[in-house]
Amino acid sequence: MSTQQQNAKSFCIYESRHETMVVSSVSEEKGVETSVRPAKFLKPYGKSISQVTSETTISHITQQRKQHPEIHFKGWKNPQTKWGDWSESLSGKHAFTWNQACICDALLSSLYKIQPNTPLILGLVEYWSPKTNTFVFPWGEATITLEDVMILGGFSVLGEPVTLPVTDDMLAMEAKLVELRRKMWKSKSKKADQHSWIKLFMEELKSHELEHVGFLSLWLSRFVFPSLPDSTIGTHVFPIAIRLSQGTRLALAPAVLATLYHNLSLLKEQLVSSFKESVTVKGPFQLVQQWAFERFPILGPKCPNELKLGEPRAARWHKLKSCASDSFIVSVLKSVENFQWRPYAADLKNWCFVSHYKENDQLVVDSSNSTEELRSFGVCLCADELDGLDCVEKYMPYRVAMQFGMDQHLPGKFTVMLPSCNENFSFYVPSRCYKPSVSLEYLNWWQKSKLAQEKDIVKPEKKVEDSNFVQTPTALDKICMSDSDILMIAKQYCEEESQKSTPSSENSSKRNISTKEEIKEVESNSLVVGKENNAIGHTKGLLREVVKQQHDAGTFDNPLDVEDYYACTTSLGTLFHPIDIDN
């Protein structure tokens, strides 16, 4: 088959077109600066705003409970005392096999201790949307991608699925592992705990035929697909461990990311709907924190460790603590200026750039003939359904295209874009120096979606049985109100006050006249566009006095953290643009 015939059958996962792109935000009065230029968008993208459904609604935790429960991260494990010794003793004999299976970096990463920062994880979960598997920040969407899991965890995105059933030649070894585990359950400990597992192989079964697969079983159970009950060896990892011990390359990254997505959604659900004093989740949440340190450097340790040649990215955070306070974390997450779109393309001492990070952009027409690293990046760009061991999650990189250096357009309806391993596909790799931006249509959609959510928030609450009582807004509601909403509530409040009072008819008449004059004055001042409205400010002050006696309550499906939306948008410099293109 000729090269032209191969290219004709190539499936393209992006589209290049001339589009009106946002250059930079200017001001609320002048809008944004735009230019028409060639842009490259990930598929699937929306054809028009009317075709794009708003899926960015999230339920905020802070509105549901006064304080967070204690979080038990059962999958967040640090290396055991003898884990390093066992790894070193097997590395000389099995390093070639580990390299074949592409797990060298992942095994190395398990030797480093990542100190948990629970407030940071909770701060991120506040913005998590299970509908899109993205963090919906006030300025736009971001998420943990396959590229993050590949670089931070050292897991491969290429290879055979981890969910393949065992073959006949694997059954005998699996039966031996199951029997060994069963004997441990009959011991004094009454479980196949990981500490006893290491001791058994390092003391009694040294150089045994099962030692290598036993080592990989512990690694998988502790660091990759954590087991429950806690700190035990799970039978669910035996087929995977056997394949890896034979040098078979498995696509661990998609399965790990599916597990993370699933457990982020479970944690969000428990925090929103449950009022338990403690919450338990599994999954390698240390990857979530590493992602936060890379994307929001200001939230990480002040002086990350300097990488040595050959060390994985996780070594930067070994035994370091982040002392960011709760309030500081909240303020940092609200500003796009603190977010790094492409941290792995930036200069870092002793960090070897992978092949797709080049000074010039690349067009990969034939992915089947590209390098493994380049093809891995192409897979990271494809929307897909990720198969975990006990879950299936949607992966939507087209919603966070700027994390890959691609321009951001309207997010389309989810469609699996990843071709089968036998199919060829073409993709685009931006220059490592390229600064992506959003299309004007995307910007308009984001604003429309944001305003729709705000409108839902300021809908009047249901009145109680007493028809004379008009429920006032919460402190959270009042910040997001438009001028017209404030006028309406001001009228209601004035009417309520006039009805409550029982003065003489003369005083009542004077009060009604005064009230009408006040409302008329407010309505007149509200017509002034672009200037500070003194009447509106006065009404807001009036409302603040009213809501002092009312506690925050209820749930909010809002794509933005509206706890202080007005302050947030003001600090960003403009109400028009959700993303700072210059960052």
Side-chain angles (χ1 to χ4, degrees):
M1 182 180 295
S2 66
T3 303
Q4 290 183 347
Q5 289 176 321
Q6 287 181 341
N7 294 346
K9 287 192 173 184
S10 178
F11 176 75
C12 189
I13 63 173
Y14 77 98
E15 179 164 326
S16 180
R17 53 185 284 186
H18 280 75
E19 188 67 41
T20 303
M21 303 298 295
V22 175
V23 177
S24 63
S25 55
V26 181
S27 66
E28 183 176 356
E29 291 79 13
K30 296 182 180 180
V32 295
E33 182 182 349
T34 62
S35 67
V36 178
R37 64 167 176 83
K40 294 178 173 60
F41 304 123
L42 286 178
K43 296 178 180 179
Y45 64 86
K47 302 297 182 181
S48 64
I49 294 179
S50 61
Q51 296 178 0
V52 180
T53 57
S54 179
E55 297 176 317
T56 55
T57 55
I58 57 175
S59 298
H60 286 280
I61 301 168
T62 54
Q63 274 53 287
Q64 309 304 314
R65 56 199 315 157
K66 295 181 179 180
Q67 63 182 15
H68 294 301
E70 183 179 1
I71 311 297
H72 300 285
F73 297 104
K74 295 300 184 181
W76 194 320
K77 298 296 182 183
N78 288 312
Q80 297 159 295
T81 304
K82 295 183 179 181
W83 176 246
D85 295 335
W86 198 12
S87 301
E88 187 176 356
S89 66
L90 293 178
S91 61
K93 184 178 180 181
H94 299 289
F96 179 77
T97 303
W98 296 346
N99 190 56
Q100 276 188 317
C102 292
I103 58 173
C104 287
D105 282 350
L107 287 171
L108 280 175
S109 297
S110 68
L111 300 175
Y112 298 94
K113 184 177 182 180
I114 308 298
Q115 301 278 13
N117 184 331
T118 302
L120 176 54
I121 301 297
L122 291 175
L124 290 170
V125 174
E126 172 80 12
Y127 294 102
W128 182 253
S129 171
K131 294 182 179 180
T132 58
N133 284 333
T134 60
F135 298 106
V136 186
F137 295 111
W139 40 265
E141 292 181 77
T143 196
I144 305 169
T145 67
L146 284 174
E147 183 186 34
D148 294 305
V149 176
M150 178 176 64
I151 292 178
L152 299 179
F155 301 110
S156 174
V157 301
L158 303 178
E160 299 292 331
V162 298
T163 53
L164 286 177
V166 294
T167 58
D168 293 341
D169 60 325
M170 297 168 54
L171 290 175
M173 182 171 289
E174 184 184 28
K176 292 178 181 179
L177 289 170
V178 171
E179 178 62 20
L180 184 63
R181 183 178 181 275
R182 187 184 64 82
K183 289 180 179 180
M184 294 185 69
W185 275 94
K186 290 185 176 181
S187 63
K188 292 182 179 180
S189 63
K190 300 297 182 182
K191 63 179 181 178
D193 66 276
Q194 296 170 0
H195 176 75
S196 301
W197 190 266
I198 287 185
K199 184 177 180 181
L200 175 66
F201 278 101
M202 293 193 71
E203 295 180 4
E204 301 179 27
L205 299 179
K206 190 73 173 176
S207 300
H208 190 274
E209 63 171 337
L210 293 178
E211 184 183 14
H212 186 208
V213 71
F215 168 81
L216 294 174
S217 296
L218 172 58
W219 172 66
L220 291 166
S221 293
R222 186 173 181 85
F223 302 104
V224 187
F225 304 113
S227 306
L228 288 178
D230 186 29
S231 300
T232 60
I233 303 297
T235 57
H236 64 291
V237 302
F238 288 162
I240 304 174
I242 294 171
R243 282 193 169 87
L244 293 175
S245 70
Q246 297 172 349
T248 303
R249 185 172 186 173
L250 300 178
L252 292 174
V256 170
L257 187 55
T259 301
L260 275 180
Y261 283 171
H262 182 67
N263 282 277
L264 279 167
S265 298
L266 287 178
L267 178 56
K268 180 64 174 284
E269 179 183 353
Q270 291 185 71
L271 292 174
V272 170
S273 61
S274 174
F275 289 87
K276 297 179 181 178
E277 295 183 356
S278 64
V279 174
T280 299
V281 290
K282 61 178 183 177
F285 270 81
Q286 65 271 21
L287 288 176
V288 179
Q289 182 161 300
Q290 290 181 62
W291 180 87
F293 287 170
E294 295 282 356
R295 300 288 176 174
F296 297 94
I298 196 173
L299 293 178
K302 292 183 178 179
C303 298
N305 298 320
E306 184 178 300
L307 288 179
K308 299 177 181 178
L309 287 175
E311 283 187 331
R313 196 94 176 186
R316 300 186 69 204
W317 320 112
H318 180 52
K319 294 184 177 180
L320 297 181
K321 289 185 178 181
S322 170
C323 301
S325 64
D326 293 15
S327 58
F328 183 68
I329 291 172
V330 170
S331 64
V332 168
L333 295 180
K334 286 182 178 181
S335 175
V336 70
E337 295 177 358
N338 301 314
F339 188 77
Q340 297 294 319
W341 288 104
R342 305 181 70 190
Y344 315 126
D347 291 324
L348 181 64
K349 187 176 181 179
N350 292 330
W351 170 250
C352 298
F353 291 107
V354 287
S355 63
H356 58 270
Y357 291 134
K358 296 184 180 297
E359 297 299 327
N360 299 319
D361 59 351
Q362 306 168 74
L363 178 60
V364 181
V365 179
D366 186 3
S367 61
S368 60
N369 290 331
S370 62
T371 64
E372 286 188 352
E373 287 183 332
L374 204 54
R375 182 177 174 85
S376 295
F377 181 73
V379 172
C380 294
L381 302 177
C382 295
D384 197 13
E385 288 188 336
L386 307 178
D387 291 325
L389 295 186
D390 56 357
C391 61
V392 178
E393 295 289 336
K394 292 179 179 179
Y395 176 62
M396 307 182 192
Y398 58 92
R399 301 188 73 96
V400 294
M402 292 176 66
Q403 290 185 217
F404 304 99
M406 304 284 287
D407 293 316
Q408 181 66 58
H409 199 36
L410 296 171
K413 184 178 180 181
F414 174 77
T415 306
V416 174
M417 302 298 292
L418 183 62
S420 65
C421 296
N422 296 325
E423 288 186 67
N424 182 29
F425 66 98
S426 60
F427 58 95
Y428 173 76
V429 185
S431 162
R432 60 183 289 253
C433 300
Y434 179 71
K435 292 186 177 181
S437 62
V438 301
S439 67
L440 183 59
E441 277 196 294
Y442 175 86
L443 176 60
N444 291 334
W445 166 78
W446 179 266
Q447 292 297 318
K448 182 179 179 181
S449 175
K450 182 175 64 177
L451 292 174
Q453 296 300 326
E454 293 171 14
K455 185 177 180 181
D456 289 341
I457 292 174
V458 299
K459 283 181 179 178
E461 298 286 343
K462 291 183 179 179
K463 295 182 180 180
V464 294
E465 291 184 1
D466 184 359
S467 59
N468 293 324
F469 177 78
V470 179
Q471 182 150 346
T472 55
T474 66
L476 179 64
D477 292 332
K478 66 182 177 59
I479 299 173
C480 300
M481 291 179 184
S482 64
D483 292 352
S484 59
D485 294 321
I486 294 173
L487 288 171
M488 178 188 69
I489 295 175
K491 291 178 181 180
Q492 290 179 344
Y493 177 71
C494 292
E495 290 173 1
E496 175 193 354
E497 290 299 307
S498 63
Q499 290 175 5
K500 283 183 179 180
S501 60
T502 55
S504 63
S505 58
E506 181 179 355
N507 292 337
S508 176
S509 176
K510 291 181 179 180
R511 172 58 185 164
N512 289 336
I513 294 173
S514 176
T515 300
K516 291 178 181 179
E517 290 177 351
E518 289 174 3
I519 295 175
K520 184 178 181 180
E521 179 184 359
V522 171
E523 289 177 338
S524 176
N525 290 334
S526 66
L527 297 176
V528 180
V529 180
K531 298 181 179 180
E532 184 69 20
N533 193 320
N534 295 328
I536 297 298
H538 174 73
T539 307
K540 284 183 177 179
L542 180 63
L543 290 175
R544 290 191 182 96
E545 293 299 322
V546 175
V547 301
K548 279 183 179 179
Q549 305 301 322
Q550 183 170 336
H551 298 287
D552 291 339
T555 62
F556 300 92
D557 286 333
N558 181 22
L560 310 180
D561 185 347
V562 294
E563 182 180 356
D564 195 356
Y565 174 72
Y566 180 79
C568 173
T569 51
T570 303
S571 66
L572 293 181
T574 173
L575 297 176
F576 279 84
H577 199 255
I579 298 175
D580 186 356
I581 305 303
D582 296 329
N583 184 24

